[in-house]
Amino acid sequence: MKYLLTLLAVLLTLTASRAQDRPLVQFSGVIYNVDSNVVVPYVSVTNRSDRNRASSANFQGYFSFVAHERDTIVFSAVGYRREAIVIPSNLKDKSYTVIIKMKAEVINLPTVAVLPWASVDQFNKEFMELKFADDDLEIAKKNVAKTSLLAMARDLPRDGQEMRGINFQNNHIALTNKAINQRYANPLLNPFAWGSFIQQIIQGDKNRNNSD
């Protein structure tokens, strides 16, 4: 175990010394969608050659940080295919600017069936207590039952044909009673009608006496 730790420390020291030997570079760029030429915001930019040091592009897809020549840079984002680039060596101005184009990647997730039962025991219980739907004959019997017909007659509105028949009947009754009694009152219960009737009888008797 001690030997392995020592070997690991030596390797890390050699890697760090090799990284220090390589010149520093200002690495910058913009990330686009290869299909629509629209910037891809907030892409993760990871330097695999520098202990996976990560940074992020801004909302305009722009990034800039210091790296070494020959570093491997990986670009990753949700819904896009990963892209990698190696910074070249022997750069004159000690800066390197690139345009990264990422391709959208559609990931098909497996189908998830959501069941309303928390366990198999609950499913078995619900299944045993399941009430099957009535067949067509039983449904027809329930629809023509007396209680169903009374409920529909009470709640359902009248259709146009029924309303036309009722209006025609009311108009016929109104025209029939118009010449008899406009107020639809019973004349036998009207004292004024009785008074007029008696006056007509008395007047008729006087007319007969005068004629005699």
Side-chain angles (χ1 to χ4, degrees):
M1 185 66 181
K2 184 177 180 180
Y3 176 76
L4 292 177
L5 292 176
T6 304
L7 181 61
L8 181 60
V10 172
L11 291 176
L12 291 176
T13 304
L14 292 175
T15 303
S17 62
R18 291 181 60 187
Q20 292 177 358
D21 293 340
R22 291 177 292 162
L24 295 175
V25 178
Q26 185 67 37
F27 183 51
S28 306
V30 181
I31 306 171
Y32 286 93
N33 187 324
V34 68
D35 297 324
S36 60
N37 289 329
V38 178
V39 296
V40 182
Y42 308 115
V43 176
S44 297
V45 184
T46 305
N47 190 343
R48 289 291 180 84
S49 302
D50 190 7
R51 293 175 294 180
N52 290 330
R53 182 171 297 178
S55 59
S56 179
N58 61 10
F59 69 98
Q60 294 179 341
Y62 174 78
F63 65 91
S64 180
F65 58 90
V66 177
H68 293 87
E69 293 182 357
R70 299 192 304 275
D71 280 354
T72 300
I73 312 299
V74 178
F75 302 88
S76 60
V78 178
Y80 289 89
R81 186 181 302 170
R82 286 189 176 185
E83 301 292 339
I85 189 174
V86 178
I87 301 177
S89 57
N90 300 324
L91 298 173
K92 295 182 180 180
D93 53 0
K94 302 304 178 184
S95 64
Y96 187 57
T97 303
V98 294
I99 295 177
I100 304 298
K101 293 186 177 181
M102 302 184 68
K103 185 175 181 60
E105 185 177 22
V106 179
I107 300 175
N108 295 324
L109 299 177
T111 304
V112 178
V114 180
L115 301 177
W117 303 286
S119 62
V120 178
D121 295 335
Q122 185 178 0
F123 168 75
N124 294 332
K125 180 181 177 182
E126 295 290 338
F127 182 79
M128 296 302 295
E129 296 177 355
L130 182 65
K131 294 182 180 180
F132 293 95
D134 299 329
D135 55 4
D136 295 340
L137 180 60
E138 189 66 24
I139 294 174
K141 290 181 180 179
K142 291 182 179 180
N143 290 336
V144 298
K146 183 178 180 180
T147 55
S148 299
L149 295 177
L150 291 177
M152 288 188 291
R154 182 180 65 254
D155 299 332
L156 291 178
R158 297 180 178 180
D159 57 1
Q161 184 175 1
E162 187 176 3
M163 292 301 299
R164 184 180 64 179
I166 293 175
N167 291 332
F168 178 80
Q169 183 179 1
N170 292 335
N171 293 332
H172 177 72
I173 295 173
L175 292 175
T176 303
N177 297 333
K178 184 175 181 181
I180 300 174
N181 186 4
Q182 295 182 356
R183 295 185 178 181
Y184 306 101
N186 189 353
L188 297 177
L189 302 177
N190 191 347
F192 297 101
W194 278 103
S196 177
F197 177 69
I198 295 171
Q199 290 293 332
Q200 291 177 4
I201 294 176
I202 296 173
Q203 188 67 30
D205 293 338
K206 290 180 178 181
N207 292 333
R208 284 195 298 271
N209 293 329
N210 292 331
S211 63
D212 294 339

